[in-house]
Amino acid sequence: GREAIGPQSFVLRGFALPYVQALLQGVDTVTAQAPFRQMETPGGYTMSVALTNCGRLGWTTDAHGYRYTRIDPLSGQPWPDLPLAFLQLAQTAAADAGFPDFAPDACLVNRYEPGSRLSLHQDKNERDYNAPIVSVSLGMPAVFLFGGNERQDKTTRVPLLHGDVVVWGGVDRLRYHGVMPMKDLPHPKLGSRRINFTLRKAG
Ligand code: MD5
Ligand code: FE
């Protein structure tokens, strides 16, 4: 089922379910080289969400700001390779949503625990806003907040469950969004964690 949540944004319910084993294997390979870590925001807060990256570019934040880098600041090494299963899933999902030539070069992997949240923000560090973002949810359910192009615009709540894939693009690409504080609703396979990874064209 392809559920429109905006003119050019779609939830593909359960789209990732056939690939979960390969995706979790990919997460394990990535986090063995580049572990999840909690980063600092430019405003001096520690994010409640822990993150890592794979692919040529990785998103980071510190006291100096948000940016994409080729090197993991924790290890001093390049970010791990993008697992093939991530790339194949993202390209298939993007094509289903009307973006046939998606060539991601960055993958941000977020880990949520009970109480973790992501406050309302826009994703503006990527160079090309014409490319979509593909998001894959695994583990605990989350309530996604989908707003408008201005911070004060009203938000709608979208539940995101294990295996759901969302594609955001075109006119929806710069909409404000966030994740409500996570409830502890353990998932049979992942326990009290939610893993969300997003494939992006950052460079
Ligand atoms: C998450 N992550 O569930 C979300 C899924 C992030 C982030 O927001 O920045 O890591 S991606 C949701 C998203 C991305 C880009 C654009 C829009 C939503 N949007 O236009 O609403 O961890
Ligand atoms: Fe975001």
Side-chain angles (χ1 to χ4, degrees), residues 40-191:
E40 306 294 324
T41 68
Y45 293 92
T46 299
M47 291 181 67
S48 61
V49 175
L51 65 85
T52 185
N53 292 277
C54 52
R56 192 173 68 85
L57 292 168
W59 186 87
T60 65
T61 171
D62 62 19
H64 303 286
Y66 308 125
R67 62 198 174 280
Y68 281 93
T69 66
R70 300 185 68 142
I71 300 295
D72 176 355
L74 193 62
S75 67
Q77 297 296 123
W79 295 104
D81 289 338
L82 187 66
L84 190 58
F86 288 24
L87 179 65
Q88 289 176 338
L89 176 65
Q91 289 183 326
T92 310
D96 268 31
F99 300 93
D101 301 308
F102 183 41
D105 57 13
C107 178
L108 168 58
V109 187
N110 289 329
R111 185 191 66 199
Y112 296 77
E113 291 177 338
S116 298
R117 57 172 295 188
L118 198 58
S119 53
L120 214 58
H121 67 279
Q122 293 172 295
D123 289 19
K124 296 207 298 186
N125 295 115
E126 300 76 22
R127 193 183 290 269
D128 175 11
Y129 299 145
N130 292 311
I133 290 181
V134 175
S135 149
V136 180
S137 292
L138 298 172
M140 290 204 295
V143 178
F144 181 79
L145 285 175
F146 196 31
N149 287 336
E150 310 288 341
R151 181 179 290 279
Q152 65 274 12
D153 291 347
K154 93 167 184 41
T155 57
T156 59
R157 288 164 163 69
V158 181
L160 292 181
L161 309 179
H162 178 72
D164 289 348
V165 175
V166 190
V167 181
W168 326 85
V171 298
D172 296 319
R173 174 64 182 75
L174 289 175
R175 287 172 69 167
Y176 277 86
H177 60 278
V179 177
M180 293 281 284
M182 295 288 297
K183 291 185 183 174
D184 192 3
L185 298 167
H187 181 270
K189 199 182 194 95
L190 282 96

